[in-house]
Amino acid sequence: MEEKEEGVNLNWTLPVSSVQELVRQRQPDAVPPRYLRDDIVMAGHHRELSQGLPRIDLGKLMDPPSRSTELCNLHSACRQWGLFLLVNHGVLDEGMRMMKENVQGFFDLPHHEKQKSAQKPGSLEGYGQAFVTSHDQKLQWNDMIFLKCHPAHARNLDLWPKNPPEFRIALEKYSEDMRKLAAEVVKYIGMALGIHEGELDLLTKSFGEGKYEVRMNYYPACPEPERAIGLLPHADISGITLLTECGNIPGLQVLSKDNCWVTVPPVPGGIVVNLGQIMEVYSNGTYRAPDHRAVVNKEKERVSIATFCYPSPSLPVGPSPQLLAATGLPPIYQTLSNSGEFLQCFLSHKLDDAVPFIDTLKLQTPNRCVRPFHLLLVL
């Protein structure tokens, strides 16, 4: 692969060594220099969620007598956190169990077997790491396999592992369950925002026909967890993200409104719903796409599954027309013609840009979205 570092977009990544193999072969008693992230890990202070993450019961949202109260709870969670724990979500335990077992089984395979699904030049899809754009870039303490799942024609089955034997079956079923769940969740997020009738139907239908991509993360035990980072602080660019933990090891942290990193404890059977920047733009800034990160553990590995849920590529990305009409407020964000244009803007954004990507979409900020010359593969 050409080892260019200038003009690289975020759909391009350099191959790097497996952190899992580094730990297995060398068993280091200190974090190797390229993984040292004292600047990130030591910034800010931490606390546990004393009262737990806001819990939203999908069953109550679906039940007319309890819907109004639960919609108020959902509205508050989206405003204050942009993150909530979804319970009573209706996804069968068997499907979730099968997916978790196969993801764990994949990362338990010998390295040469996992390498059969390794990323190809010019794509983030497959086994490896994302967004490595230079040879002196600091790295994150994780390995991942990232696969496109919906629509079906977007799948690159050459990268879908054949081992474990049921991996493909599990991923196909799980991603379909997440697609159906996301459309339902987005419908109620729209209702909580005050969207109704035709626009609500369009929003729901768009996520039913949207793009779904699954990132499976492996965070090995780390000899100095206070000096490494599993996943850098970031806000997702999706509509929403659905996160499933494969065990009981905490690692997800979310940045609260008072700029404190808060640890989100795993809850058996629960799914963490994280609002992405498409939804923050759609809500005209009413709802948050929160910054979050993954920290690592000294004794235990952690495995998680994140499903990135996008609306149909034909849906414009901008503030809700109904919301603007109802509030009388001016739009904060520009409207892009479709979610494909939105994703192209993100992929052309530089990782080290001092201006956060979402701020480049604000109307009072000069539009710094530079469209790439060539058609990009979107996340």
Side-chain angles (χ1 to χ4, degrees), residues 41-317:
V41 179
M42 299 306 292
H45 56 291
H46 309 203
R47 73 166 185 261
E48 298 289 328
L49 262 175
S50 58
Q51 297 181 338
L53 190 69
R55 290 193 180 209
I56 301 299
D57 188 318
L58 184 58
K60 291 181 179 179
L61 288 171
M62 299 175 72
D63 184 31
S66 59
R67 180 176 299 156
S68 178
T69 298
E70 200 67 1
L71 282 174
C72 288
N73 294 336
L74 177 58
H75 180 69
S76 176
C78 291
R79 280 178 61 93
Q80 297 299 317
W81 289 96
L83 196 82
F84 56 87
L85 179 70
L86 188 69
V87 298
N88 197 15
H89 45 67
V91 179
L92 295 178
D93 292 343
E94 175 62 19
M96 294 186 71
R97 181 195 62 77
M98 185 178 180
M99 183 62 183
K100 292 177 184 180
E101 288 180 355
N102 278 274
V103 171
Q104 182 69 60
F106 172 79
F107 285 114
D108 287 344
L109 292 172
H111 183 61
H112 72 269
E113 187 68 25
K114 293 194 287 285
Q115 280 293 104
K116 293 178 181 179
S117 296
Q119 294 165 324
K120 301 293 190 292
S123 174
L124 294 176
E125 194 171 9
Y127 172 66
Q129 275 202 28
F131 308 138
V132 182
T133 58
S134 74
H135 288 283
D136 57 0
Q137 178 179 327
K138 292 286 189 177
L139 298 178
Q140 303 170 98
W141 196 262
N142 80 71
D143 294 335
M144 65 106 188
I145 180 168
F146 171 71
L147 298 170
K148 298 178 181 181
C149 295
H150 290 285
H153 65 74
R155 298 171 184 170
N156 183 351
L157 293 180
D158 289 341
L159 296 176
W160 283 44
K162 294 181 180 178
N163 276 319
E166 293 188 328
F167 184 98
R168 293 184 173 197
I169 296 171
L171 179 57
E172 184 170 12
K173 175 173 174 46
Y174 180 83
S175 62
E176 176 63 13
D177 287 343
M178 294 299 104
R179 185 188 67 81
K180 292 177 180 177
L181 179 61
E184 194 76 6
V185 170
V186 165
K187 177 179 73 175
Y188 290 114
I189 292 175
M191 291 174 66
L193 192 60
I195 310 305
H196 54 86
E197 297 176 343
E199 187 176 321
L200 184 64
D201 292 340
L202 178 62
L203 180 68
T204 305
K205 183 173 184 288
S206 177
F207 274 85
E209 299 173 347
K211 294 183 341 86
Y212 288 80
E213 300 164 347
V214 179
R215 173 173 168 151
M216 294 144 275
N217 304 292
Y218 182 89
Y219 304 97
C222 179
E224 297 178 290
E226 71 283 357
R227 305 192 71 192
I229 192 76
L231 203 58
L232 286 167
H234 67 284
D236 291 346
I237 62 164
S238 56
I240 63 172
T241 301
L242 304 176
L243 179 73
T244 299
E245 298 282 0
C246 294
N248 60 358
I249 303 301
L252 174 64
Q253 292 187 337
V254 60
L255 190 65
S256 67
K257 280 193 168 183
D258 60 354
N259 289 319
C260 179
W261 286 109
V262 179
T263 299
V264 179
V267 175
I271 295 174
V272 173
V273 180
N274 176 40
L275 270 60
Q277 291 180 339
I278 289 177
M279 195 56 67
E280 180 169 337
V281 169
Y282 182 75
S283 73
N284 203 36
T286 301
Y287 291 165
R288 306 177 62 209
D291 284 345
H292 55 285
R293 67 184 186 181
V295 296
V296 290
N297 188 281
K298 186 170 186 175
E299 306 295 336
K300 302 285 188 178
E301 65 182 27
R302 173 175 171 250
V303 179
S304 67
I305 307 167
T307 304
F308 301 103
C309 315
Y310 296 90
S312 166
S314 63
L315 185 77
V317 175

